[in-house]
Structure formats: structure tokens, C-alpha cells
Amino acid sequence: MHRSHRNPRSPGRRGRPLTLVLAAALVAPIAWTAPAAARETYPFRDPRLSAEARVDDLLGRLTLDEKVSLLHQYQPAIPRLGIGRFKTGTEALHGVAWSTDIHNNGAVVTAKGTVFPQSVGLGATWDPELLKKVGSAVGDEARGYNSENPDLWGLQLWAPVVNLLRDPRWGRNEEGYSEDPLLTGLLATAYGHGIEGDDPDHLKAAPVLKHYMANNNEIRRDQTSSSLRPRVRKEYDEVPFKIPLSRDAATGIMTSYNLVNGRPATVTPDAGGLLRSWSDRPLFNVTDAGAPNNVVNSQKYYPDLPTGDAAILKAGVDSFTTDDTNSSITVNAVKEALSRGLLAESDLDRAVGHILSLRVRLGEFDPGGGPYGKITKDVVDSPAHRALARKTAAEQMVLLKNQGGTLPLSSGKVAVVGPLSNTLYTDWYSGALPYKVTPLDGIRKRAGSVASSEGVDRIALKDIGSGKYIAGGTGSGAILKTGPASASDPTTQFDVFDWGQGIVTLRSAANGKTVGRYNFGDTFANDQDQPNGWFVQQMFKLEKQDNGEYLLRYAGYEKAYDWADPSKTYVKTQDDGTLALTTKDGASRYSKDVVSSGVDSAVKAATGADSAVVVVGSMPFINGREDHDRTTMALAEGQSELIKAVRKANPNTVVVVENSYPTTLNWEQQNVPGILWTSHAGAETGNALASVLFGDESPSGKLPQTWYRSESDLPDILDYDIIKSDRTYQYFKGKPLYPFGYGLSYTTFRYGKPRLSSHSVGRDGTVTVTVPVTNTGKKAGDEVVQLYTHQRDSRVKQPVEKLRAFDKVHVEPGRTVPAQLRFRASDLAIWDVTRNKWTVEKSKQDLLIGSSSTDIRRHATLNVRGERIPDRDLSKTTRAADFDDQNGIQLVDESKTKGDAVAGAAGSWLKFADADLGRSTGTITAKAAGTSAATVQVRLDGPNGPVAGTLNVPPTGDKYTYKEITARLGNARGDHDVYLVFTGETRLSTFSLTR
């Protein structure tokens, strides 16, 4: 979800400025008492009845208008039945984060409770048991907030995100668990079970999976289409949704903004079909924020909102997240759809039934709110949750390099330097931190003595025209204004934090606050705790001119939106000394005085210390986040220079990279003896970091995605075909910087000979692999034992390797512990496009057991008694989308409601391998559509092979109007790979070759 559809100029609507963060304790609860007539005991309030019976009773009591009213995110009260308000969507990705207040025009209210590590950090734990505990804590705190203000803090939680980390440049990389579907699915299942609680009939809170599906790019995210061939869809993108839904660990899905194969995900037929087939319980599905309007506006898929809303409901989505608190737009559109016959009341009954089913399971209609109704605000930020946050923060840290036993550190003199050494940052889906233990704080508790420096330049900017310096306000901050004539005045001094590609933030030395544009106006103030908000207004560029002077360029995100003047992105000093935006030609010229050098300060601190810890990384609101993909995987240039300078001054340098995604640390890997990664891990980051750096515990985190050496190792971010493009560890054939599953320890482990429960298995069987793991070092440690498979022979391109099972085991020094790795033969199935079903092939499987995807310690072989996929029978109707290979093809929507087709242009082709054409094939019949004439050639054994026939496709008038066309074939007999080669633009739905 995001809030970008609000009017950015409205007072109090700046996103989530941290100065306006409200702890839920400060929000007065809304008292509401049902009228006496409504206190009658209806069957839907009887917990002895089944959930289905209670829903049927309540649904039968609702009027048509009441049913319609429940379809919006903000469901109103129904006083005559004693039913209160219900709000969908409290954000709870790694702790209760924020919600929106119906009583304050939908303003964002931020929680101030336990903040766990970012999801990518949770993924690095490889620990489902831990994730369940984290989820349970989040569910408890959600209940605690709800007990205080149920209108604000709803119990339907929009988490976890299970979109796969297919591309490390994805702006929302921090929100997902892993690039692997199995790891993601199991961690999401654990988190969801924790949120839900263990009562079989009731929910502590209701997790919703985001975002269905294939949502891995922020660039034009509401307009781009993710082209998913059937194998990628079935074997990759669907898996992390199917696992938790089939294990009752989620109560619904949120549809994504993007299109999938040309159809907006908001109207995916999977919402009412495939997804519900995976779950034994009713699902309550929701749209992403503003997405219902997108199908009419940016996507132009439907002509008006009544048509679009009707399609959304018919597709199987039950709730509209749109237009903030104004539900009347949705209500009126749905009523119009009913009056036009686009919807029937039965369509509403289906959706409202799903909504009510969830509310029944949450205990809303039970006496006392059900088994979880007694949880109060006391659970928020409890000592137990703080301890869990600390444990989780430590367990997610990944040791990337440890040359010569650089780590763990001794308790001598330690230099702690770097721009992230003495701060903690939150992200868009994070709550506010109730307290902070920075890396410097944590290390100070453990080291004998500490020297510190943030390693950032402190500067002053003087307006050349007036000779006066820009000054910030003191206290909570004030409007920036020129005035002082000397840089020695502390109000003129600003610390410059480099986030890469020229982007910097300025922190005022006067009050420690970050400078930003003030309330979307024309002035600037130093009044923010950190860069923040949907429109991040705290970014600048210091552009040096040929004469040594500087222009100050404003680089806030909102300049990309149509309500901002893109020509006015530079700063000028006005007559009254305040700063305003102007054009480049009108910009003021400034001189930059370096009051103190960050590099010099860091080098001074590091020189003579026993070791130096350099803490670098990202700012979650700047370097990559929702609505903004990364364009580089490198560290900020200034941070890289800082590392090099400190390393030169102190050979015992350790780099801590605190960020949300893989980074190209090529120089660091070659030259720095110790490297440790952590996500932005919450209030306990510093304590957890110190415990790992000083060896109180051995690091056990493993990378949940591949770290590449260069952007050149990656295809275009919009290329979703991981099979063809050799994407993710499954298909990547290069040498990564750090492989999937990688992470070092302070101890060493020896893997013994694996024992298989069977060396041969049928397609319905299960295999258990037991591996003895011996700790051969001197410290206790946890090891994640990973089992991958590689199928030697197959009809199709197989992964280089694929994760099938893992087990995290704790082993004391000198002890041996068995790791248990279990998988089913059905897990080895591929999606057979020739018959549209899962198929376990007869094969030899290499079992690869190791400490990462490339550190394989033991091998075994498994004989799988599956089947041989027969040759294709193209005499049967074959969907064009069920190809084996393609070039230049896009998958598109066959119709607006269901089905996939392919769209090709001149030079595009489809391959259908291993086709048995028999003794003679005389005709091709195809369904094609398009607005212009085109031809499709049938060629054998290659796109330039012999032409067997040509389809002449006439204009059909519309891309959804298909016409059946035929053509004669010659010399088409025997076994061949059949290619359909396009010589013009057309859509192809199905075809068959008749004998």
C-alpha cells in the first residue's frame, strides 16, 4: 500500500514526518455503545455455532445498502445490529507500523512499539521457528493497539510481503524475504501462523499476503505488464503464495498494481479461483491503495468506475482500498453497476460473506472479543519483545568475510566510524523506535575504549551575493535563513551525508535535525528527525561550478509528479534571507566552507586503535524503496572513499554494511579483512551488532539472495522470465560476489556422510536425508544445512540447482548433531506445458548438501521413478502461451476476464519442441486477433528452418476479437520442433495441426 493519491498540498498530509509521529497511547479511544434494540442476541453472536452459520445469519440480516457499504476499506458501523466500524489494513511488515485514522481524514498514525529487522533481514535468519515467535509478538501488539482504538488499529494486517527478490535493484527489496520461493513460502507461513495464533477457530490477527503477483519493479508499476510464461508462473511466482495459503497461514491476498500478461492484477481471475482452491477457509482479498481507480485511469482497462468495480468483484476481490476515507465513490459505483446489470446481489453476497467470515474469526461478535480479546496495550514494547527483537537482530546478521581471524574483536581500543555508526533509520513500513541503541552505543558497552566519528563533512554555505551564511533554527527547528556572517556560528554548520549519485542530506549542527522542504511550500527548515514521508523532501545535490562556486539543487522525490514544477529545482536566497525554489538560471551561488573533514576525522579516530569498525549503508527512504527502484548496486561514492581511507590507516578494519539489499562490494571484498551485513534491524541493532562483533555469539545468518559483482550480471529489471534470462541462483551461470545461502561463522562445521531413507522414490514418495554435522571449532554455533537438487536429464531446461530443504542446527564445540532434510518427490515436479499439469519426470537427481548454494560439502544420488513426458501432440488444441521457448513475444490477456494469449511482431517466434507430426500433417488452424494484417509462418526445427505453411491473418477489428483461420501445410511429418514465426503484429490464442 502507499498513500501517493492524496493531495500533497493539504495541511498535515506530508506522508509520515517523524515530528508528527503519534504513539497510539496518545490517541483517545472512540467509545461507542450499541442502542438497546441492538443488544438482542442474534445467532451470529453465538460462538457455539459454526462460522459459516454465523456468517449466513448476519448476511441475511443486512440490507442491500448495508452490504454495499462493507465493500470499502472503511466499513461503517451498523447500529441497528450493534456492529461497530471495521477497517482493513494495518501495516505490520516487521512489527506494527502504521495505520490511517478515519476520524482525521485518513491521516497516517505511526505505532511506537517493537520494530523487528526488515523482512530481508528476517529472511537471512533462515529460521521459521524464530519467525513464528516474531509473528506472534506482532499479533499481540496489533491486539494491544486494537484494544485501545479499534477504529484506527484494525486487525487485518497487510503483511507479509511474499514477492520474490528476483532482482536486487527492486526498490522494495527490503520488504521481501528471499529470491527463493521455498524459503519465502516457509518463512511467510511461520510469520503468518504467529500472527494468527494457535486457536483453531479464532484469529489473533489476520495476515494478508502482498502483492499478487509478479510485482518486482517500481518503474511505471501501475502500467507495466509482467510477462509470465506458464513454467515461471507455476514454478516460481505462485509458490510463495500457495505455501502459506495451503497451510492456513494467511487469510487473503492483496492484489498488486502491475498487470500480469496484459491484465491488471486488480482483476485477476485467480482471486476467485486458483487462490481459493489452495485454502480450506474463506479468503478475504483486498486491492492495493488506489488500484480500483487505476483500471480506469492509468491502465485504461475499463471505461468507467462502475464497470471496473464490477469486474473487480466478479474476479474475486472483496474490498476496495481507494479514495482514502471517502467510501461514497465506491458505494456509488457499485450501486450504478447493480442498476446497469453489471453485478447481481449474489456477487455482493459472496464478497460480503468473505468479509464477515474474517470478522467472525477475529472474535468481533463473541462475548469479550473471543480468546484474544483480553490482550491489552501492556504487551507493546514489553521486555519479552525487546529480548526477541535483540535475538532476531543478531541472528539475521551475515558474516561476509573474516580474513585472518579479524573477528571477533578484542575489548581493546576500537574506532567506530561511518555515517550509520551513531544513528538508526526506520523505513516506510516501520513503526517509530521507542528507544535506540546505535552501533556506537552497543560497541561502547563492550569495548575497553572507543574513538568515534561519523566520517561526514561539516560544512557552511555562504550566499555569494550577500556574504551571509545559511543558518538553521535551534530547538525543534525553524525556517532556514541567511544571517550570520561567520561559519563559526554553530547554526550555520551542516553535516553532509552522502547517499550516492550526488544525493546528500543536510543535518543541522544547531539541533541535529535534517533539512527539508517545509510542508510542500517554497521554504526550507531543519525540523525532521530523518528523511521520511511518501514524498521525501530532504534530498539535495551540491553542484560544483567551473569557478568553484556551488548551486544547491533540491532533489526531492515529488518533483517527478505533475503537480510539482519540474523547472524549479534549484535554491535561491530571497530578499528576506529565506530560501525558495527557482530555475537553474535564477539560482543563487554559494561558497562551501568545510568546517571539518569527515575522512580526516575518521582517519584520526582509526589511527592507533586496535581495530576500526566502519558502519556504512543505505538510508531506507532514499536509496531504494516503494515507487523507486535502484539504478546502481554500489555504495555511495563518499562511503567507499571513507572505507578506503580508514583501511589505509588501520589494517584491522571491519566494514559493517547496514542496508536493505545486495551491494557490489568488490573492492571491499578484496581489501578489507572483515565484512558484516545487517538489515536496518530496529532499536536493538547496536546491542545485537556488538554481541556478534565481540563474539558473544557466532554469526549464523545466511544470504537470502544472490549478491552480484556488477549490474551487467543482470538482465533488464522488467524481464520476468527467470528461465530464459538465467536469473536468480537457480539459473545464474556466472560467479557471484556472494552466493545465495552464503554466510560465515566463528566456528567450523564438518558434514558427515548423508543417509537417505531411500535411494529410489516414486512420484508420491518422500525422502529424508540425515546429515551428521560436527562442530570442529572452539565456539558454539548455528549452521544452516541446505539441500539442493539438480536434475540431470529433462525434457526442459532445468535449474542449475534448486533449494529443496534446509535445517538450522545448533552445535556445541566437538559435538555432532544430525540435520534432518525432508522433501517429497512431488516437490521435484515441473509444470508440463504440453499437458498443463504438474509432472514428476523419470530422472536421476543429484542431491547437493552444503553450507551455501556453491559451498557443497556432500553429494548423493536419487533415482526418481517418474514418467517420461510424451512427444507433443499438436493435433490437439494447443495454447500459444504454452510454448517451450520464444523470442520477442509478449504474453497478453486473451480476454479481459480470463486466459492468456501471445502477441508477436515481425521477427518474433514461438517454439514447440518435440512434436510428433505423424505420417502427415496437412492443415494448421489458429485463432488470431489484431487490428492489422499479418502472417505467421510454420517452420520446422528452427526459426529459419523450412517453411511448412503460412497463416494469413486478416484484421479482426479488435485485439479481443479472434478469428479462426486455416492454412495448408506441406512436408510436415515425423518428429520436429515446430516454430511459429511472426512477420507482423498479431495476437495468437490457440492453434492445432490436423492430419
Side-chain angles (χ1 to χ4, degrees):
M1 178 184 179
H2 71 79
R3 312 301 305 175
S4 67
H5 293 278
R6 295 180 171 179
N7 177 2
R9 297 191 181 276
S10 297
R13 307 290 286 278
R14 296 181 63 196
R16 291 192 305 139
L18 298 189
T19 55
L20 299 181
V21 164
L22 298 176
L26 301 179
V27 180
I30 308 301
W32 181 84
T33 304
R39 298 190 192 125
E40 175 186 343
T41 302
Y42 296 111
F44 72 82
R45 294 191 178 277
D46 186 350
R48 296 170 299 178
L49 297 178
S50 69
E52 183 179 7
R54 298 172 74 182
V55 169
D56 286 346
D57 175 69
L58 178 51
L59 186 63
R61 297 178 187 278
L62 298 176
T63 67
L64 181 62
D65 283 349
E66 288 168 344
K67 293 174 186 177
V68 174
S69 75
L70 298 179
L71 297 175
H72 190 263
Q73 178 184 17
Y74 293 93
Q75 300 174 25
I78 303 176
R80 69 181 186 86
L81 296 175
I83 296 173
R85 293 187 184 92
F86 184 88
K87 175 194 170 293
T88 69
T90 295
E91 299 290 357
L93 189 57
H94 51 110
V96 179
W98 52 270
S99 189
T100 51
D101 188 1
I102 190 172
H103 301 289
N104 190 18
N105 202 27
V108 171
V109 180
T110 303
K112 196 172 186 179
T114 309
V115 177
F116 292 95
Q118 293 176 304
S119 294
V120 68
L122 297 177
T125 68
W126 289 61
D127 192 339
E129 290 184 10
L130 179 64
L131 264 286
K132 184 176 181 182
K133 294 176 182 177
V134 171
S136 181
V138 174
D140 285 344
E141 296 202 3
R143 276 282 174 176
Y145 281 112
N146 177 263
S147 71
E148 188 175 70
N149 190 342
D151 284 355
L152 173 62
W153 300 103
L155 290 173
Q156 190 202 45
L157 307 186
W158 287 348
V161 169
V162 296
N163 296 112
L164 296 165
L165 305 185
R166 173 191 64 95
D167 193 305
R169 297 166 298 189
W170 183 35
R172 303 183 77 167
N173 195 86
E174 66 193 29
E175 297 183 36
Y177 292 127
S178 171
E179 72 184 51
D180 182 76
L182 174 66
L183 179 58
T184 296
L186 293 179
L187 293 177
T189 296
Y191 190 70
H193 276 152
I195 287 173
E196 290 179 341
D198 295 324
D199 188 283
D201 300 315
H202 291 83
L203 296 165
K204 183 162 45 177
V208 172
L209 304 178
K210 301 197 298 187
H211 312 79
Y212 193 83
M213 73 173 165
N215 176 202
N216 279 137
N217 62 276
E218 299 305 292
I219 179 173
R220 303 188 307 279
R221 62 181 180 166
D222 61 332
Q223 299 172 52
T224 58
S225 178
S226 303
S227 191
L228 290 188
R229 64 195 286 185
R231 278 194 65 204
V232 173
R233 181 182 188 124
K234 294 293 183 182
E235 297 174 22
Y236 193 66
D237 285 282
E238 286 181 1
V239 175
F241 291 91
K242 183 177 182 178
I243 292 175
L245 286 173
S246 64
R247 301 184 186 194
D248 194 24
T251 60
I253 58 98
M254 173 188 283
T255 55
S256 55
Y257 284 121
N258 55 292
L259 298 89
V260 178
N261 294 353
R263 181 180 298 108
T266 310
V267 290
T268 175
D270 291 353
L274 181 67
L275 291 164
R276 296 187 191 278
S277 74
W278 292 338
S279 176
D280 292 331
R281 295 186 187 266
L283 300 179
F284 174 20
N285 299 328
V286 303
T287 75
D288 208 336
N293 294 347
N294 290 346
V295 301
V296 175
N297 297 329
S298 62
Q299 294 166 343
K300 297 183 176 16
Y301 204 71
Y302 292 105
D304 53 47
L305 204 55
T307 308
D309 284 3
I312 291 168
L313 284 170
K314 282 184 168 294
V317 179
D318 307 307
S319 179
F320 295 81
T321 313
T322 188
D323 302 304
D324 295 320
T325 60
N326 184 3
S327 62
S328 66
I329 297 174
T330 294
V331 167
N332 291 336
V334 171
K335 287 183 176 180
E336 174 67 17
L338 287 165
S339 69
R340 286 161 51 181
L342 301 174
L343 286 173
E345 188 169 359
S346 60
D347 295 314
L348 271 61
D349 288 346
R350 182 176 59 251
V352 174
H354 298 150
I355 295 167
L356 297 178
S357 177
L358 186 78
R359 294 177 68 168
V360 166
R361 291 181 68 196
L362 285 168
E364 179 182 346
F365 309 127
D366 287 11
Y372 299 109
K374 295 181 180 180
I375 297 176
T376 67
K377 185 72 181 300
D378 294 339
V379 300
V380 175
D381 189 34
S382 66
H385 290 180
R386 288 189 176 193
L388 180 62
R390 179 171 179 167
K391 172 180 171 58
T392 308
E395 193 168 330
Q396 55 93 49
M397 292 180 181
V398 182
L399 183 59
L400 298 175
K401 184 180 180 182
N402 191 18
Q403 180 180 322
T406 298
L407 291 170
L409 301 175
S410 66
S411 58
K413 182 178 181 181
V414 180
V416 183
V417 302
L420 278 79
S421 62
N422 197 27
T423 189
L424 295 179
Y425 290 123
T426 56
D427 60 45
W428 176 249
Y429 286 102
S430 169
L433 301 179
Y435 62 97
K436 295 181 181 180
V437 183
T438 69
L440 178 59
D441 295 334
I443 293 172
R444 272 183 173 149
K445 297 176 185 179
R446 292 289 284 104
S449 65
V450 172
S452 66
S453 167
E454 289 182 295
V456 299
D457 288 347
R458 177 163 288 187
I459 68 168
L461 294 173
K462 181 172 67 175
D463 177 61
I464 299 295
S466 67
K468 296 179 180 181
Y469 286 85
I470 298 173
T474 57
S476 61
I479 302 298
L480 265 61
K481 192 173 184 179
T482 58
S486 171
S488 62
D489 188 322
T491 62
T492 69
Q493 298 173 10
F494 299 90
D495 297 322
V496 182
F497 288 82
D498 177 13
W499 303 115
Q501 299 178 288
I503 297 293
V504 301
T505 53
L506 303 173
R507 186 185 64 194
S508 172
N511 64 353
K513 299 286 188 178
T514 299
V515 173
R517 191 175 174 192
Y518 184 69
N519 202 27
F520 290 91
D522 292 329
T523 54
F524 294 85
N526 56 315
D527 64 345
Q528 297 296 301
D529 287 342
Q530 69 166 55
N532 66 90
W534 180 256
F535 298 112
V536 183
Q537 303 173 81
Q538 296 83 24
M539 298 187 293
F540 297 89
K541 288 187 176 183
L542 289 164
E543 296 183 348
K544 189 173 184 179
Q545 306 302 295
D546 292 340
N547 63 357
E549 296 172 351
Y550 286 84
L551 299 182
L552 183 58
R553 182 176 179 180
Y554 171 64
Y557 278 152
E558 73 272 13
K559 64 179 172 43
Y561 286 76
D562 56 8
W563 53 264
D565 186 345
S567 68
K568 293 184 177 181
T569 58
Y570 286 83
V571 174
K572 69 175 180 179
T573 303
Q574 302 189 103
D575 291 342
D576 64 355
T578 58
L579 306 180
L581 290 176
T582 186
T583 63
K584 185 174 184 178
D585 290 341
S588 295
R589 302 277 175 142
Y590 299 95
S591 65
K592 184 179 79 171
D593 296 353
V594 178
V595 179
S596 62
S597 164
V599 168
D600 290 350
S601 175
V603 167
K604 181 179 179 181
T607 301
D610 295 311
S611 56
V613 177
V614 189
V615 190
V616 296
S618 68
M619 200 288 127
F621 279 81
I622 292 176
N623 291 101
R625 53 156 280 190
E626 184 174 359
D627 207 34
H628 297 274
D629 292 315
R630 288 196 296 162
T631 56
T632 176
M633 294 191 293
L635 279 175
E637 297 84 352
Q639 294 185 20
S640 294
E641 292 305 312
L642 177 68
I643 292 170
K644 291 174 181 177
V646 173
R647 171 64 181 84
K648 185 177 180 180
N650 192 317
N652 296 320
T653 292
V654 175
V655 171
V656 175
V657 182
E658 184 178 350
N659 67 14
S660 316
Y661 34 66
T663 306
T664 48
L665 302 174
N666 295 303
W667 187 92
E668 290 76 11
Q669 175 60 25
Q670 293 175 2
N671 295 281
V672 176
I675 307 175
L676 183 76
W677 176 83
T678 176
S679 72
H680 294 278
E684 287 288 338
T685 298
N687 285 330
L689 179 62
S691 70
V692 172
L693 289 177
F694 287 94
D696 297 337
E697 53 190 290
S698 181
S700 63
K702 299 283 188 177
L703 294 179
Q705 62 186 131
T706 306
W707 285 42
Y708 298 94
R709 296 177 182 272
S710 169
E711 284 88 355
S712 64
D713 289 333
L714 294 167
D716 188 277
I717 195 171
L718 297 177
D719 185 347
Y720 277 77
D721 191 344
I722 68 165
I723 299 174
K724 187 174 181 65
S725 62
D726 293 332
R727 194 188 276 273
T728 82
Y729 83 93
Q730 292 187 26
Y731 293 94
F732 183 60
K733 296 174 183 176
K735 185 177 181 181
L737 178 64
Y738 305 117
F740 173 79
Y742 173 82
L744 304 176
S745 173
Y746 291 156
T747 189
T748 53
F749 300 98
R750 182 178 66 243
Y751 287 36
K753 183 178 181 180
R755 299 190 303 275
L756 276 64
S757 58
S758 174
H759 289 273
S760 180
V761 64
R763 68 184 72 177
D764 297 322
T766 299
V767 177
T768 301
V769 180
T770 304
V771 183
V773 180
T774 302
N775 186 336
T776 55
K778 297 181 180 180
K779 292 183 69 68
D782 292 348
E783 173 71 339
V784 179
V785 183
Q786 303 159 43
L787 170 63
Y788 300 85
T789 64
H790 172 71
Q791 185 169 321
R792 295 182 186 178
D793 299 301
S794 174
R795 180 190 175 275
V796 299
K797 180 179 178 179
Q798 283 282 347
V800 175
E801 58 187 340
K802 190 169 183 177
L803 183 70
R804 300 300 185 182
F806 60 91
D807 190 12
K808 191 165 191 173
V809 294
H810 179 78
V811 193
E812 294 291 328
R815 302 296 297 271
T816 299
V817 172
Q820 298 285 338
L821 305 161
R822 183 176 292 106
F823 64 95
R824 300 168 299 176
S826 59
D827 296 335
L828 306 175
I830 63 168
W831 183 255
D832 176 15
V833 294
T834 72
R835 296 174 295 175
N836 293 114
K837 70 172 189 174
W838 290 103
T839 301
V840 177
E841 290 185 292
K842 180 181 180 181
S843 62
K844 292 283 188 182
Q845 296 278 348
D846 293 320
L847 305 187
L848 312 171
I849 303 157
S851 188
S852 79
S853 58
T854 62
D855 183 9
I856 302 302
R857 309 285 183 86
R858 289 288 180 168
H859 297 75
T861 302
L862 179 68
N863 181 47
V864 179
R865 302 189 305 275
E867 64 175 312
R868 177 189 174 277
I869 297 175
D871 291 343
R872 270 190 184 269
D873 182 359
L874 296 180
S875 67
K876 297 179 179 178
T877 299
T878 300
R879 301 201 65 81
D882 288 330
F883 53 80
D884 288 295
D885 197 5
Q886 59 84 22
N887 179 68
I889 291 292
Q890 287 293 315
L891 284 144
V892 294
D893 50 337
E894 183 179 25
S895 73
K896 289 193 172 184
T897 57
K898 64 180 180 179
D900 294 334
V902 300
S908 304
W909 52 257
L910 297 168
K911 176 184 177 181
F912 299 87
D914 306 319
D916 179 5
L917 304 184
R919 295 184 178 180
S920 175
T921 300
T923 303
I924 179 171
T925 302
K927 287 186 177 180
T931 57
S932 59
T935 63
V936 178
Q937 296 177 336
V938 181
R939 291 179 177 264
L940 303 180
D941 301 323
N944 297 313
V947 177
T950 301
L951 284 166
N952 293 306
V953 183
T956 63
D958 181 79
K959 63 183 180 180
Y960 298 121
T961 302
Y962 290 87
K963 182 176 181 179
E964 187 171 280
I965 53 176
T966 62
R968 296 292 302 169
L969 298 177
N971 299 317
R973 62 177 63 90
D975 295 337
H976 292 279
D977 294 338
V978 173
Y979 286 76
L980 301 182
V981 181
F982 293 69
T983 61
E985 292 187 7
T986 193
R987 288 188 172 207
L988 196 62
S989 171
T990 62
F991 73 98
S992 61
L993 306 182
T994 55
R995 297 170 183 173

